[in-house]
Amino acid sequence: MTMERTTFQGSGEYVASEELMSAVNIAIQLKKPLLIKGEPGTGKTMLAEAISKSLGKELIIWNIKSTTKAQDGLYVYDTIQRLYDSQFGEAGVDDIAHYIKLGKLGEAFKADSQVVLLIDEIDKADLEFPNDLLWELDKMEFYIHETKETVKAKERPIVIITSNAEKELPDAFLRRCIFHYIDFPGPELMEEIVKVHFDRLEENLLKQAMDTFYWLRGIRDIRKKPSTSELIDWIRALQLGGIAPEKIRQELPFIGVLLKKDEDLNELKKRR
Amino acid sequence: MFTPFFYILKAKGIEVSLTEWVTLMEALDKGLSNSSLTDFYYMGRMILVKSETDFDKYDRAFQEYFQGVHSEDEIPPQIMEWLDAGGDDEERMWDEDENDSLWTKKEHSDDPDQVRRKLKERLEEQHTQHDGGNYWIGRRGGSTFGNAGRTPGGIRINGRTGMRSAFQVIGEERYRDFRLDKALNTRQFEVAFRRLRQFSARLDVPRTELDLDKTIDSTCSNGGYLKLEFDKPRKNTVKLLLLFDSGGTMMPFSSLCNNLFKAVDKANHFKDVKIYYFHNCVYNKLYNTPECENGDWIDTEWVFKNLDSDYRVIFVGDAQMAHEELLGVNGNYRAGNGGLPGIEWLRLFQRKYKKAVWLNPRKHDNVAALEWLESELLISEIFPMYKLSVQGLKEALNKLMVSR
């Protein structure tokens, strides 16, 4: 515990496996972006929140959508506003800097102290998107053509990038990242995770629910396997519904919380 | 330092770049592996391997390079069994307070070599199962060796939580399922199909779409006077013709084909998708449904006339026709042949559609050596043939995208 301030140890609300913790710490030490992949619902996005909390650093989230362009993250030159203002002779029209708006990456660079930057679901964007950010993530700086200004990070942000593997990321981009694949948690880790989310939870209910959950995940023909977050919702539903634990496996109450596809529900019916 | 490891990784098919290797050396230099083999295993993996599909390869390379270390860690099967016994009595064996006191009392042996040496000695001494306690190898105790114990710097044998020991993980081959040569679910097929796109922006089409951003820019630089800018529409121009074999020998692969079908069905980025079915081989009729009922069909000639040669064609079938079915003029036992043997119909497809591939769920590697696979050999000479797996599909789609 010599580097208390800079090492990540998980947090009160987030249970991380040791492998994940060491990946985070190594990424921080090597000053490289950490790329996180894993099944949906394994807490990829929550990781950044947990890091920001446990290290006491501000969190900046850049949500990537299919239309997001790399430029959006750096800065946007609001030409329309400028055109509009000029029609009415507003003050400040000749000052271009007035119309430069920093994106999330720009914000992270401009911050006075080190921040945690989450680039969420990078695979949603166009195939070339990650390539357009290579220089910026490497050098942690970019150039604003309109104002001839270079924005350079004062403190290199801790960059966490998540991906759902919808698209393959370019090799050049991958080479610069530290990679971690979040495994689906096994029963022991899962128990810990679930307990973090509940103040009071009956042991028997938890055990029955978990058994049923892993049994469901083990059925080969089920297409969309239920995830951690769905398990938590389900246990909450069971708790609120006052379901007797011994009935869980038999009756599978509120099963719609776990299985969302018709095919999967039919598959389950066949087995009962 | 570990340069041979670098080459073993390369030999196993992991494309480690020099940048990544230097990063790993830097990490070692900073002492981030804590001089532990297990930490080194994870650190190497997170820096050098960028896809879970390659974890298995990494494991094998790691095993090869560090083999010598492995043999020293070897645990006799008998002791493995005691440690594995686990199960119901685990809770009773575990005492939180006792553990805490152990944690503070215990002298920490941090030198891994020393720990490993001790383990070896202890293995030679021990002859019975021990749970709890501080010395013998056992479960939930304060001894340096055993399962679910909590001695810092100790060796964990076959445990379940915490950092998994490197060889333990390798032994499980947990990442087998991720390997690319396995056929997998719809989603992965869908992802693969995204490769199949060609944007009209790169083609020679008229600029018909108003480019708002450019218009604004131009208008601004034009002193506020409107100046319109147009661009080529950005649409996928790929058209796809999919032909499924629905014959009896394809039955074992119905769920695989179903996944492929769904993936194509869901992929809404194609300009046009046409799907037809055939029974064993293509003749003068193509069926509209997988049931292949006589009457519910269209003429193959109709396809040639109406689907232009821009269509990319994918055949899905096991290419296991009988000799007669492929080469005979009367080979089609269900309906007429239309005057040509099956193979000639396939050649007509080849002539009309420049970009066509064959996906085979059963593809054999040494097809030329296996006489009874004559039809597979003949067809693979007409169409490039790939295995119906994620990797095979990727290769096939790449083939469809390159211009000849």
Side-chain angles (χ1 to χ4, degrees):
Chain A
M1 299 274 176
T2 47
M3 306 175 283
E4 217 145 14
R5 274 288 120 199
T6 49
T7 52
F8 173 61
Q9 305 282 345
S11 72
E13 292 92 55
Y14 188 87
V15 182
S17 68
E18 276 187 54
E19 290 131 58
L20 177 56
M21 281 189 226
S22 84
V24 171
N25 290 325
I26 286 176
I28 295 174
Q29 295 274 321
L30 293 176
K31 302 189 169 73
K32 302 246 174 209
L34 176 63
L35 173 67
I36 300 283
K37 247 162 93 174
E39 263 188 66
T42 40
K44 296 189 289 293
T45 304
M46 281 174 67
L47 171 70
E49 276 170 43
I51 296 173
S52 111
K53 256 193 200 155
S54 97
L55 301 184
K57 298 186 189 299
E58 194 199 337
L59 174 66
I60 295 181
I61 302 176
W62 185 14
N63 269 309
I64 307 298
K65 305 203 171 59
S66 61
T67 51
T68 307
K69 296 207 171 58
Q71 186 66 39
D72 303 346
L74 308 178
Y75 70 96
V76 180
Y77 173 26
D78 195 347
T79 39
I80 303 182
Q81 186 64 44
R82 193 169 181 216
L83 184 62
Y84 189 75
D85 285 356
S86 72
Q87 308 284 305
F88 299 98
E90 296 275 325
V93 176
D94 13 325
D95 182 12
I96 298 183
H98 200 66
Y99 298 96
I100 300 285
K101 301 215 164 78
L102 287 181
K104 293 290 177 189
L105 208 58
E107 254 180 62
F109 288 179
K110 276 255 172 156
D112 288 321
S113 56
Q114 194 181 35
V115 297
V116 177
L117 172 68
L118 170 66
I119 304 182
D120 208 8
E121 310 200 24
I122 194 163
D123 52 329
K124 287 264 190 305
D126 192 76
L127 286 167
E128 290 302 316
F129 177 84
N131 275 339
D132 296 344
L133 286 177
L134 288 182
W135 168 268
E136 285 74 12
L137 288 178
D138 243 14
K139 301 285 170 209
M140 292 289 168
E141 64 174 54
F142 62 87
Y143 181 69
I144 303 179
H145 296 278
E146 284 79 1
T147 54
K148 301 191 171 51
E149 179 197 356
T150 303
V151 177
K152 191 167 172 45
K154 290 175 193 153
E155 288 268 5
R156 228 180 147 86
I158 298 169
V159 183
I160 309 291
I161 301 168
T162 71
S163 162
N164 278 324
E166 281 191 26
K167 289 194 190 82
E168 275 197 51
L169 301 170
D171 289 345
F173 177 77
L174 290 175
R175 277 202 289 278
R176 289 164 168 83
C177 295
I178 302 292
F179 173 75
H180 183 80
Y181 180 84
I182 301 192
D183 268 317
F184 198 82
E188 279 186 31
L189 187 61
M190 183 60 93
E191 219 178 294
E192 251 182 88
I193 293 170
V194 171
K195 280 182 178 159
V196 164
H197 287 266
F198 292 91
D199 294 334
R200 284 177 31 220
L201 190 59
E202 208 192 314
E203 274 300 320
N204 197 16
L205 179 90
L206 175 65
K207 189 179 174 316
Q208 293 293 333
M210 293 255 301
D211 284 353
T212 314
F213 175 75
Y214 278 99
W215 170 71
L216 275 176
R217 278 187 59 90
I219 298 179
R220 240 187 57 136
D221 292 316
I222 287 199
R223 297 249 158 70
K224 199 202 151 290
K225 308 240 183 274
S227 69
T228 312
S229 47
E230 284 162 323
L231 173 66
I232 290 167
D233 288 346
W234 191 49
I235 294 180
R236 190 154 283 144
L238 293 171
Q239 217 180 14
L240 292 174
I243 306 290
E246 42 310 337
K247 284 186 183 163
I248 294 178
R249 177 66 183 266
Q250 287 284 303
E251 296 176 9
L252 299 176
F254 311 118
I255 196 66
V257 179
L258 290 181
L259 300 179
K260 312 280 167 74
K261 289 192 164 197
D262 285 348
E263 296 108 298
D264 293 347
L265 288 169
N266 289 336
E267 187 59 42
L268 193 63
K269 257 184 217 142
K270 269 192 263 165
R271 283 165 192 269
R272 286 163 70 188
Chain B
M1 181 149 86
F2 294 101
T3 316
F5 185 43
F6 177 75
Y7 288 103
I8 294 178
L9 283 168
K10 285 236 171 199
K12 295 272 178 220
I14 298 181
E15 281 312 312
V16 183
S17 69
L18 215 53
T19 336
E20 287 163 313
W21 191 253
V22 170
T23 308
L24 178 63
M25 292 302 122
E26 190 189 326
L28 282 173
D29 215 37
K30 290 190 174 173
L32 297 182
S33 73
N34 307 318
S35 311
S36 132
L37 186 63
T38 301
D39 283 5
F40 177 78
Y41 165 82
Y42 283 107
M43 198 174 74
R45 199 177 73 181
M46 69 180 78
I47 294 174
L48 304 175
V49 186
K50 298 300 157 64
S51 167
E52 67 278 13
T53 52
D54 283 340
F55 281 1
D56 189 57
K57 287 182 200 156
Y58 178 80
D59 283 358
R60 279 180 285 147
F62 192 87
Q63 197 163 24
E64 190 175 318
Y65 183 67
F66 291 98
Q67 222 160 24
V69 191
H70 187 198
S71 62
E72 268 187 38
D73 283 353
E74 214 130 81
I75 310 298
Q78 178 70 62
I79 287 179
M80 258 330 216
E81 231 165 75
W82 295 330
L83 292 168
D84 246 344
D88 301 326
D89 57 346
E90 264 183 16
E91 264 65 49
R92 274 184 281 120
M93 279 163 29
W94 186 238
D95 187 315
E96 198 70 50
D97 298 334
E98 190 199 356
N99 177 57
D100 284 343
S101 67
L102 281 174
W103 182 264
T104 41
K105 258 197 306 199
K106 203 86 192 143
E107 97 276 16
H108 299 178
S109 34
D110 282 329
D111 173 22
D113 285 330
Q114 197 192 329
V115 176
R116 214 173 288 122
R117 221 170 20 249
K118 267 206 235 160
L119 170 65
K120 216 175 166 187
E121 288 164 18
R122 200 78 44 94
L123 281 172
E124 280 156 17
E125 286 173 76
Q126 181 166 358
H127 303 288
T128 49
Q129 175 165 2
H130 281 266
D131 293 332
N134 277 350
Y135 183 73
W136 296 109
I137 303 167
R139 293 174 292 166
R140 310 237 171 207
S143 161
T144 318
F145 315 109
N147 187 6
R150 294 206 177 170
T151 297
I155 287 189
R156 208 180 86 262
I157 306 169
N158 204 25
R160 274 185 293 174
T161 49
M163 185 85 93
R164 310 176 70 92
S165 113
F167 287 109
Q168 173 73 38
V169 178
I170 295 169
E172 286 173 6
E173 299 197 320
R174 281 192 304 165
Y175 295 102
R176 264 275 166 88
D177 277 1
F178 294 123
R179 275 170 30 191
L180 280 170
D181 44 9
K182 265 195 75 165
L184 286 157
N185 59 22
T186 322
R187 183 165 193 81
Q188 274 165 301
F189 280 142
E190 271 175 64
V191 174
F193 269 110
R194 294 190 190 193
R195 284 164 184 260
L196 210 50
R197 51 182 185 182
Q198 183 169 43
F199 288 114
S200 50
R202 289 179 198 160
L203 297 178
D204 200 17
V205 292
R207 297 171 181 271
T208 51
E209 223 165 57
L210 180 68
D211 187 331
L212 212 51
D213 287 340
K214 269 196 201 158
T215 301
I216 292 163
D217 279 349
S218 304
T219 306
C220 289
S221 55
N222 206 22
Y225 289 101
L226 191 65
K227 190 177 176 200
L228 295 176
E229 294 280 355
F230 290 92
D231 203 358
K232 293 171 185 171
R234 199 177 146 80
K235 285 204 181 97
N236 195 1
T237 54
V238 170
K239 293 177 279 189
L240 194 63
L241 168 61
L242 212 55
L243 297 165
F244 280 101
D245 181 356
S246 192
T249 50
M250 285 294 285
M251 281 305 283
F253 308 107
S254 61
S255 89
L256 190 60
C257 292
N258 193 18
N259 280 340
L260 184 69
F261 174 82
K262 276 196 196 146
V264 176
D265 203 41
K266 273 191 201 160
N268 46 14
H269 62 269
F270 296 118
K271 194 173 175 196
D272 188 32
V273 179
K274 291 267 190 291
I275 300 177
Y276 299 107
Y277 302 85
F278 58 92
H279 195 274
N280 291 345
C281 191
V282 178
Y283 306 105
N284 61 333
K285 304 279 186 194
L286 289 169
Y287 299 89
N288 290 319
T289 62
E291 286 76 32
C292 292
E293 278 165 33
N294 281 359
D296 190 8
W297 57 31
I298 56 153
D299 292 329
T300 307
E301 284 293 341
W302 182 90
V303 171
F304 290 145
K305 280 193 193 113
N306 287 280
L307 305 185
D308 61 47
S309 56
D310 284 351
Y311 274 80
R312 267 88 167 164
V313 184
I314 301 178
F315 289 92
V316 183
D318 57 2
Q320 296 209 336
M321 306 91 178
H323 178 87
E324 180 65 16
E325 278 178 315
L326 185 63
L327 301 168
V329 188
N330 297 309
N332 186 6
Y333 66 91
R334 302 183 90 235
N337 246 32
L340 291 173
I343 193 155
E344 286 306 319
W345 283 108
L346 290 175
R347 291 215 173 97
L348 285 178
F349 269 98
Q350 182 201 19
R351 239 163 278 154
K352 167 92 189 183
Y353 302 102
K354 300 297 172 217
K355 286 169 183 166
V357 292
W358 190 292
L359 290 173
N360 186 347
R362 256 193 244 268
K363 188 179 179 325
H364 301 81
D365 290 328
N366 47 345
V367 61
L370 306 170
E371 284 172 40
W372 64 91
L373 292 172
E374 181 197 20
S375 57
E376 185 175 326
L377 178 64
L378 285 172
I379 290 175
S380 63
E381 281 166 1
I382 302 176
F383 299 110
M385 192 179 280
Y386 301 91
K387 188 161 175 64
L388 181 49
S389 65
V390 173
Q391 182 65 26
L393 182 63
K394 278 184 187 166
E395 285 166 19
L397 296 180
N398 283 342
K399 180 82 187 167
L400 286 180
M401 287 314 297
V402 293
S403 42
R404 293 222 261 193

